[in-house]
Structures are given as structure tokens and as C-alpha cells.
Amino acid sequence: QKEVEQNSGPLSVPEGAIASLNCTYSDRGSQSFFWYRQYSGKSPELIMSIYSNGDKEDGRFTAQLNKASQYVSLLIRDSQPSDSATYLCAVNIIQGAQKLVFGQGTRLTINP
Amino acid sequence: EPEVTQTPSHQVTQMGQEVILRCVPISNHLYFYWYRQILGQKVEFLVSFYNNEISEKSEIFDDQFSVERPDGSNFTLKIRSTKLEDSAMYFCASRYHGTAQGYTFGSGTRLTVV
């Protein structure tokens, strides 16, 4: 069973601060990693993908990947109240057919 | 921006009834998926579909479930005899050949079994 683990939170961060979300995964063969944002009652929305070790920046978001440690993280700079959501870490598993396996999500609240 | 479209957005059904959830994936995508999310729980893989056949299914996807791509655009999930525990959000997803653009999810169907 390929697992993806996240701290379920809730994580509370003041507006303007950096929010740091973490994820570990068990499948050493995985090559593609994604962060999705999910508002309550809505579908997952892709915000970042990362494939290589190191950092990838897109606006206020930075994804970090360390394959040796099987660790993915997401940093949100200058956090806004609209960033309040559940953040889902997802790993593309290649075992037979490809599929995404999700962590349980971290609920993030940005306090004005 | 291309979208994955799901209908209906909310379906209420009586236990034991059959339901069909519908999805229209992005037109040039090749791989299609159904996921479900029970309230407060993680998003779980149900089934993947490629080249008009199931490529993988999870333990959840038992004989009560089936999928079909009847006309080259729609992708359906049928639950033959619904149980109370089938109540969940069901998400359709699709992707192109690689994963560079990720998997695109539809807006979901909330299924309530009473």
C-alpha cells in the first residue's frame, strides 16, 4: 500500500506570514508530486507540481522536493485569508496503471 | 481554460437504487479516473480507465460499481445498488499522456444515500 502522510492540522498562521505544509510518501519510485487546494465542499484544484529535487517557485507558492528523504513541502508566502483551505499532497504512483494517491490533507487557516 | 464537467452536482437516492454519475473529461485527455471523498476523509482512488477499458481498480470498486465511456465524450460511474456508506463526493478526473499538467478534477457530485 503506497502511503502519503500529512499533518492534518489545523494549522493557524497570521496574515502576511509564511505557511509551511509538509508531506512524506512511501513509494521510492514516484517521480511526480502535486499540491492541490480544496475549499470546503469543492473539488481539488491543482496549485503546484514538482518533479525534480530542490525548490520550484510560482508566485507566492514554493514547492520543495527531497526524494532521498521522501519529503515534499509547500510554502505559502505573504499568506492571505483567501489561502484558508485544506491543502492536499498527492503523489503519482506508477505501479501498473498510474494514479494519484492523496494524503489526508492539512487544514490551513489564515488569521487576519 | 478546459474543464472536466460533472453532473449532477447533487444526487439523493434511496438505499438499493441504482445511480449513474456523469462526467465529460477534457477533450484531448486520454486517461480517466473516478475518486471519492467521504465527508471529513481523504480523497480515495476508485478506478482508472484508458483505451476503453479499466486499467486499475481499488478494493472499494467492487461488483456494485461499473464505468463506461459510451460515446467517446461521456465517462460514467454506475453504482448498481447503493448503500448508506456510498454517500460521498465523487470526483471525476482526467489527464493527458504525461503528468506534466497534473490531473484535472471535475467539480464533483455529492451523492446522498438515504
Side-chain angles (χ1 to χ4, degrees), chain A residues 10-109:
Chain A
L11 176 65
S12 189
V13 170
E15 184 175 355
I18 295 175
S20 177
L21 304 159
N22 304 314
C23 172
T24 58
Y25 60 94
S26 64
D27 180 29
R28 285 201 167 272
S30 294
Q31 299 294 320
S32 308
F33 307 88
F34 305 92
W35 284 98
Y36 284 82
R37 178 174 60 201
Q38 187 178 34
Y39 294 113
S40 182
K42 302 295 185 184
S43 65
E45 174 194 1
L46 180 65
I47 53 172
M48 288 287 287
S49 59
I50 187 165
Y51 309 99
S52 305
N53 280 328
D55 294 1
K56 179 182 176 184
E57 189 174 312
D58 183 1
R60 295 187 296 111
F61 298 97
T62 299
Q64 300 173 316
L65 174 61
N66 183 326
K67 290 182 183 178
S69 302
Q70 295 173 248
Y71 177 88
V72 194
S73 66
L74 180 70
L75 301 177
I76 307 174
R77 287 182 301 283
D78 187 24
S79 298
Q80 303 297 309
S82 57
D83 294 328
S84 298
T86 297
Y87 288 81
L88 309 177
C89 175
V91 177
N92 191 53
I93 303 294
I94 307 172
Q95 190 180 36
Q98 293 189 46
K99 62 180 183 285
L100 276 186
V101 173
F102 285 86
Q104 66 268 43
T106 298
R107 191 153 51 97
L108 173 66
T109 301

Side-chain angles (χ1 to χ4, degrees), chain B residues 38-55:
Chain B
I38 295 169
L39 188 63
Q41 297 188 23
K42 67 166 70 175
V43 178
E44 300 175 288
F45 168 77
L46 290 179
V47 65
S48 59
F49 193 86
Y50 170 71
N51 202 25
N52 282 321
E53 60 183 25
I54 290 174
S55 40

Side-chain angles (χ1 to χ4, degrees), chain B residues 72-112:
Chain B
S73 60
N74 291 284
F75 180 48
T76 61
L77 175 69
K78 183 193 292 186
I79 309 175
R80 222 176 312 279
S81 177
T82 49
K83 308 189 221 8
L84 294 175
E85 54 266 36
D86 293 327
S87 295
M89 281 287 283
Y90 288 81
F91 296 112
C92 175
S94 69
R95 67 174 175 89
Y96 189 55
H97 186 64
T99 58
Q101 295 162 354
Y103 294 57
T104 304
F105 283 78
S107 55
T109 293
R110 178 172 298 284
L111 177 66
T112 304

